[in-house]
Amino acid sequence: MSKKRFLAWFWGATACYAVLVTAGSLIRKSIGSGPSPEMWAIAGGTIAAALGLMALIITRGRKEKELERFLFTESTSLAFFVTMIFAVTYGLLESWVELPRLTAWATWSVGMFSWGLLSIALKRRVS
């Protein structure tokens, strides 16, 4: 898959995911609590978009050549450790000093931002 085609699929899947998450949040507020057919459909679409996005990223990472593949693997693994350290540390602080509970979105955001920042930093470091 060419880089242009990959980027088109990547941004399409990302946009689909963002639209579904936004729609789910808005519909949940309007209908209140409890499962509904609309929420099940949105949840299924969101999961499918996330899995598709993950498959795209992994496939692209595996097809890269030497240095690019190393940078992809390095930034991904470092972001994993940053995310795990954040999750465990904050979880301990929640129970030890009763910090407010965070949603799963906080952990997800730490993971994605750290992966993005580490990717940029590592690419700058080698160029």
Side-chain angles (χ1 to χ4, degrees), residues 28 31-37 39-40:
R28 169 56 73 207
I31 65 172
S33 63
S36 69
M39 291 309 298
W40 279 106

Coordinates of all heavy atoms in Angstrom, one line a residue, residues 28 31-37 39-40:
R28 N -26.1 9.4 24.0 CA -26.1 8.9 25.4 C -26.7 10.0 26.3 O -27.5 9.7 27.2 CB -24.8 8.5 25.9 CG -24.6 8.2 27.4 CD -25.6 7.2 27.9 NE -25.3 5.8 27.5 CZ -26.2 4.9 27.4 NH1 -27.4 5.0 27.6 NH2 -25.8 3.7 27.0
I31 N -30.6 10.3 25.5 CA -31.5 9.2 25.9 C -31.4 8.7 27.3 O -32.2 8.0 27.8 CB -31.4 8.0 24.9 CG1 -30.0 7.4 25.1 CG2 -31.7 8.4 23.5 CD1 -29.9 6.0 24.3
G32 N -30.4 9.2 28.0 CA -30.2 8.8 29.4 C -29.4 7.5 29.5 O -28.8 7.0 28.6
S33 N -29.6 6.8 30.6 CA -28.9 5.5 30.8 C -29.7 4.3 30.3 O -30.8 4.4 29.9 CB -28.7 5.3 32.3 OG -29.9 5.2 33.0
G34 N -29.0 3.2 30.2 CA -29.6 2.0 29.7 C -29.2 1.7 28.3 O -29.1 2.7 27.5
P35 N -29.0 0.5 27.9 CA -28.7 0.1 26.5 C -29.8 0.4 25.6 O -31.0 0.2 25.9 CB -28.3 -1.3 26.6 CG -29.0 -1.9 27.8 CD -29.1 -0.7 28.8
S36 N -29.5 0.8 24.4 CA -30.5 0.9 23.3 C -29.9 0.4 22.0 O -28.7 0.3 21.9 CB -30.9 2.4 23.2 OG -29.8 3.1 22.7
P37 N -30.8 0.1 21.1 CA -30.3 -0.4 19.8 C -29.3 0.6 19.1 O -28.3 0.2 18.5 CB -31.5 -0.6 18.9 CG -32.6 -0.7 19.9 CD -32.2 0.1 21.1
M39 N -27.3 2.7 20.6 CA -26.0 2.7 21.3 C -25.2 1.4 21.0 O -24.0 1.4 20.9 CB -26.2 2.8 22.8 CG -26.7 4.2 23.3 SD -25.7 5.6 22.6 CE -24.1 5.3 23.3
W40 N -25.9 0.3 20.8 CA -25.2 -1.0 20.4 C -24.6 -0.8 19.1 O -23.5 -1.3 18.8 CB -26.2 -2.2 20.5 CG -26.4 -2.7 21.9 CD1 -27.5 -2.5 22.7 CD2 -25.5 -3.5 22.6 NE1 -27.3 -3.2 23.9 CE2 -26.1 -3.8 23.9 CE3 -24.2 -4.0 22.4 CZ2 -25.4 -4.5 24.9 CZ3 -23.6 -4.7 23.4 CH2 -24.2 -5.0 24.6

